[in-house]
Amino acid sequence: MKTMDTTEILELLDANEDLYIIDVREDDEVAQGMIPGAQHIALGTIPERLNELNASKPYIIVCKAGGRSANACAYLEAQGFDVTNLEGGMLAYDGELEFK
């Protein structure tokens, strides 16, 4: 499984790279702020929402600490997706937040 740390994602965000970020936390966690531009798909809803994802795009998967996103990465990889787990998750992320 590919991983990246929060320093790497902050550099990509600063460079205005086109990033496809999936936040797999629950609604109450997402309400506390998300990485700007992230799409919220709670971990338990991924199988039924696969049609919202594009298998030709690389996704960065994030959760609170990195465990649930690792589970999501394992599942999505098995479905043929190119995914990277954000190590440390939102606990390690100290960049800007977006509130939805």
Side-chain angles (χ1 to χ4, degrees), residues 45-87:
T45 66
I46 288 175
E48 66 208 43
R49 295 182 64 186
L50 273 181
N51 63 331
E52 296 177 34
L53 304 178
N54 182 337
S56 68
K57 293 180 180 175
Y59 289 97
I60 300 167
I61 313 298
V62 62
C63 69
K64 183 176 181 180
R68 284 176 287 175
S69 55
N71 291 338
C73 284
Y75 175 79
L76 290 167
E77 273 184 338
Q79 307 305 311
F81 287 90
D82 176 7
V83 291
T84 301
N85 188 30
L86 183 64
E87 291 185 327

Side-chain angles (χ1 to χ4, degrees), residues 2-86:
K2 293 187 293 186
T3 62
M4 74 168 45
D5 63 28
T6 55
T7 303
E8 292 172 271
I9 197 168
L10 287 167
E11 289 171 0
L12 293 170
L13 288 165
D14 286 344
N16 291 317
E17 294 286 335
D18 283 337
L19 300 181
Y20 304 96
I21 304 167
I22 306 294
D23 191 321
V24 299
R25 296 176 298 155
E26 297 299 320
D27 292 343
D28 60 322
E29 295 173 290
V30 168
Q32 298 169 26
M34 302 172 59
I35 296 173
Q39 179 182 359
H40 177 224
I41 301 179
L43 180 62
T45 66
I46 288 175
E48 66 208 43
R49 295 182 64 186
L50 273 181
N51 63 331
E52 296 177 34
L53 304 178
N54 182 337
S56 68
K57 293 180 180 175
Y59 289 97
I60 300 167
I61 313 298
V62 62
C63 69
K64 183 176 181 180
R68 284 176 287 175
S69 55
N71 291 338
C73 284
Y75 175 79
L76 290 167
E77 273 184 338
Q79 307 305 311
F81 287 90
D82 176 7
V83 291
T84 301
N85 188 30
L86 183 64

